[in-house]
Structure formats: C-alpha cells, structure tokens
Amino acid sequence: MTINIQKVSQMRRLVTLVVSAAIVAGAYFIAFDVPASLGVSSDIQTEGGQREGRAAKGPSQAGRAGGPRGARATTVVLTPLQMQPYEDILRAIGSADAVRSASVISNVSGDVIETNLSANKDVTVGDVLVQLDARTEMYNLEIAQAELEQARDKVLRYERLLASGNSSITDVALAEARVAQRLAEANVGLARVALDDRTIKAPISGKLGLSDVEIGDTLSAGSAIVTIDDAEALLVVFELPERSVGLLDKGQKVLTSTPTYTGQVFEGEIVSFDSRIDSVTRSVTVHALIDNSDGRLWPGMSFAVRIVHESDPLAVLPSTAITWSRSGSSVWIDNNGVAEQISAAILYRRDDQVWIEADIAPGAMVVSEGAQKLRAGSPIVAANAAKGDPVVGGQDAVPARAELKLGQAESQQAISTEKPI
C-alpha cells in the first residue's frame, strides 16, 4: 500500500513538471516565435491548389529581427532641411506728438486789449497773438530815452572842454559822465524789453489750439495762453521690451496704424531711443518720425507700431523633429538609411516650426516624426517615401519581399521532408 502511494506521488510530480515545461515553452514560443530548427510548419493553400509550408521564422527572418544583416527598420517621416529667414515682429502701442510744439505763456501781468487766437488758425513765427496794455511801459521808455540824451550831451560837453584845455573839467569828471551815459543806455534797453513783453507773439510756426483768453481779461505772469503745434511731421513715442535692444537702430523702418484710419499703414523711421532700460517696466523708450505733410494725422492720436526684423537664412524644421536629452536638443538625420543624431541649438520658435543652428547641410533628410524611437545606428525607412519595395537594415539588408519568398521556399522544403502519418 505504501508503495502504491509513493508511485502515485511520483506520477503527480512528473505530471506537474511536464505541465510546467509546456507552459514555459508556450510562453517562449508566443514571445519569440517557433525556432526554425524545430521544423514546425503550417500549410497554406495557394491559388494553384498546392499547399505551401510557412516556416516559423528562418534565418532570413532572424536577420530582420536583429541578426548580423541588420535590425528591423524603424518607420519614420522624413522632411528635407530648408533655409528660411526668421521674421521677428516687435509690437507696441504709442501716442503721437507734433515734431515741434510750444505752449505760449505770458511773462508779465496786464490787461488784454487785443487777441488773434482763432482755433486751428495757421500762424508763422512773429505773428501777434495777444496785446496787453502798454501805456506805462511806453512812458518809461520815453523817460529812459530822455535821460540817455541828457547823459550823451554831458559827455560831449566834457570832452570839448577838456580838449580846449579848460582846467575845470578833470579826467575823473569825464569818466563819471561816461558811466552815467552807459547806465542811461541800459535803462532804455530795459524799458524796451518791458514794452516788448506787452506784445505776445508766436514763437514757432504751426496751428493754434483752443484758448479762453479774451479782450478785457487780466493775465498774470505765468498764465497759459495757447498751444501751437507744427504737425508737418509727428513723433510717435512708444516702448519696446528689453529683448529688442539689439534690434534698434536709427533710420530703421517702422509700420504704424491708427483706429482713425482703419486698414491704412503709415511708414516712419526711428529717430532716437533712450540710452538705458527702465528699471520698473524693463523697457526702452523709442521715438519714430512719421511724415504728415497732408495734415491727416493729429497730435495725440494713438498708434499701433510694428517693427519687422528679418534675419539671415537659417535652418528651419517642424518642432516635432527636436528631441531632448541630458546633453540638450538634437535632431536625427537619414545617413544612407541609418539614423544619425546631430546636436541642434534652437534659435527661434513660432507655431509648429523651429529655426535651429546645427551642422547639417541644406536639403538633408531629417526625421520629423518617430524620432523618439530611434537609437544611434538604427536602420530607418521613410513612411512618406515613394511606393516600391522598402529596404530595411541599411545597404546590406534584404528587401522585405525577398525575405518573404525565402521564407516560403524554406517552408516548402520543410513540407517535402515531412513524413506522412
């Protein structure tokens, strides 16, 4: 009885080992396919009615899976490297000022007796704008002129007496008379300045703004009278970010537009910019000059400013071509059917394109899709190539259709050697 129990136990162990080995073998065959050496084949009915055997995977199939003839080719999308300039567009919002403007202010106080301050009137330099009451200043000028004439006569008399040898006139007396004459001349000059200040004139040529000064008003010193704008050209003031400093240059063209004239573009040029970056806004102030000889644009208008900077032709690729690693960004190129990794520095990025700096010849085929699956030296095949027999594994690889025929031949040989049951 004990012997039977032991035999049953041994049989169970044997069955367990056989089942385990079958499971392991099945898992291996599922993962790695059936080795060709086992001669396992399956029948395939051909169009001619003959049955062909298909080997599990022959030597050629093993070569495609990583044998000495090359690894399985990775399907990628290739894009030719193109050279295009990069357009960097700087945008800003600014306001316009007249290239020359002046605020007319009264230097003295007085009563207004005459005005020429019609709004939007064109004036030239020296035109009278406001006349103040100047009677006091006129009288002061007459007094100063009379004193000057008296001082001159005294100097002439002293000079004649001294020249005739009259001892009553000394050199000191003559010098004092001459000093008095100079003081009288200065008083006349002051009186004339005071009289001129009563007449307020246009300091520049341009167009008058609004003014509320009327006849009969009393102005005090420092009172604002009117503004004058010379709008033959406008100065647009705007700010650009710090990154634009290297792109600024005097004479550079700018494109401006205003909501007043929708769809129209007014060209100008940069005439000046600040020498330092604002510590708060981190921007630089720029002045651009716009011609306004037709008078359509007004000072104070808001403008949208664009500055277009075009670089030299650079290598441009889809952004999907860039791969990243610890060493930085890079791209993969097709080097005779083999993947080669090239370091690439990204210079600019816009939408789905990047401009790079890399040691790649223009026109080279670059992997734009599928680069994440590649390793150095991996064979590649283009998914977007022309229709035909795809070549895998580089120059020494066997065409896929040839491998299929080779596999079929091996299968037929295996079938012919099988013994009928």
Side-chain angles (χ1 to χ4, degrees), residues 2 11 14 17 22 25 37 50 58 73 91 94 127 134 161 185 216 238 272 277-279 292 309 338 379 415:
T2 302
M11 290 295 294
L14 180 60
L17 291 175
S37 59
Q50 298 179 354
R91 303 178 186 271
D127 288 350
L161 291 174
E185 291 174 350
F238 56 96
S272 62
I277 302 296
D278 189 277
S279 59
N292 189 37
H309 179 266
V338 177
I415 292 174

Side-chain angles (χ1 to χ4, degrees), residues 219-231:
L219 298 180
S220 59
S223 297
I225 298 174
V226 72
T227 59
I228 304 176
D229 291 322
D230 181 5

Side-chain angles (χ1 to χ4, degrees), residues 7-299:
K7 289 182 178 180
V8 170
S9 177
Q10 292 176 354
M11 290 295 294
R12 288 179 180 177
R13 291 178 183 176
L14 180 60
V15 171
T16 302
L17 291 175
V18 171
V19 171
S20 300
I23 292 174
V24 172
Y28 178 85
F29 294 156
I30 292 174
F32 302 101
D33 210 342
V34 180
S37 59
L38 296 180
V40 180
S41 62
S42 59
D43 295 338
I44 300 176
Q45 185 72 30
T46 63
E47 295 180 358
Q50 298 179 354
R51 303 180 66 87
E52 294 182 355
R54 184 178 62 187
K57 183 175 288 188
S60 62
Q61 298 284 345
R64 290 182 61 189
R69 303 190 68 178
R72 183 185 299 274
T74 302
T75 302
V76 296
V77 176
L78 298 178
T79 302
L81 182 69
Q82 299 180 355
M83 303 296 291
Q84 294 181 5
Y86 177 78
E87 288 188 353
D88 191 7
I89 302 178
L90 302 175
R91 303 178 186 271
I93 300 297
S95 60
D97 295 327
V99 67
R100 296 182 62 200
S101 61
S103 296
V104 181
I105 298 175
S106 176
N107 294 327
V108 296
S109 59
D111 298 331
V112 178
I113 61 175
E114 182 183 350
T115 61
N116 297 291
L117 299 174
S118 299
N120 296 313
K121 177 183 178 181
D122 291 326
V123 296
T124 57
V125 177
D127 288 350
V128 177
L129 303 178
V130 175
Q131 181 64 57
L132 302 178
D133 185 7
R135 290 176 295 176
T136 301
E137 285 70 25
M138 292 176 64
Y139 293 145
N140 290 334
L141 178 58
E142 291 183 2
I143 293 172
Q145 289 176 342
E147 291 177 349
L148 176 58
E149 291 177 0
Q150 185 178 8
R152 286 176 178 172
D153 292 341
K154 186 175 182 180
V155 170
L156 291 175
R157 186 172 64 254
Y158 280 6
E159 288 177 348
R160 286 196 299 267
L161 291 174
L162 187 60
S164 63
N166 191 332
S167 60
S168 62
I169 302 301
T170 62
D171 294 336
V172 174
L174 179 59
E176 291 177 352
R178 287 175 177 171
V179 171
Q181 179 183 347
R182 292 175 59 189
L183 292 175
E185 291 174 350
N187 289 331
V188 170
L190 291 175
R192 285 177 177 170
V193 171
L195 180 60
D196 291 341
D197 286 341
R198 314 304 288 182
T199 303
I200 302 175
K201 300 179 181 180
I204 63 173
S205 299
K207 184 176 292 186
L208 295 178
L210 291 173
S211 176
D212 56 0
V213 176
E214 297 180 355
I215 297 176
D217 291 343
T218 300
L219 298 180
S220 59
S223 297
I225 298 174
V226 72
T227 59
I228 304 176
D229 291 322
D230 181 5
E232 289 291 327
L234 293 183
L235 199 64
V236 180
V237 182
F238 56 96
E239 293 186 352
L240 291 177
E242 182 177 355
R243 70 179 182 86
S244 65
V245 172
L247 305 179
L248 294 178
D249 192 14
K250 290 184 179 180
Q252 186 173 2
K253 184 175 71 173
V254 299
L255 303 176
T256 64
S257 58
T258 176
T260 307
Y261 301 104
T262 305
Q264 298 188 34
V265 177
F266 303 92
E267 293 188 5
E269 63 178 21
I270 295 176
V271 292
S272 62
F273 46 87
D274 204 350
S275 60
R276 61 177 60 184
I277 302 296
D278 189 277
S279 59
V280 177
T281 63
R282 309 308 305 172
S283 59
V284 58
T285 303
V286 184
H287 293 173
L289 190 66
I290 302 177
D291 179 62
N292 189 37
S293 55
D294 55 2
R296 297 177 62 196
L297 304 176
W298 286 24

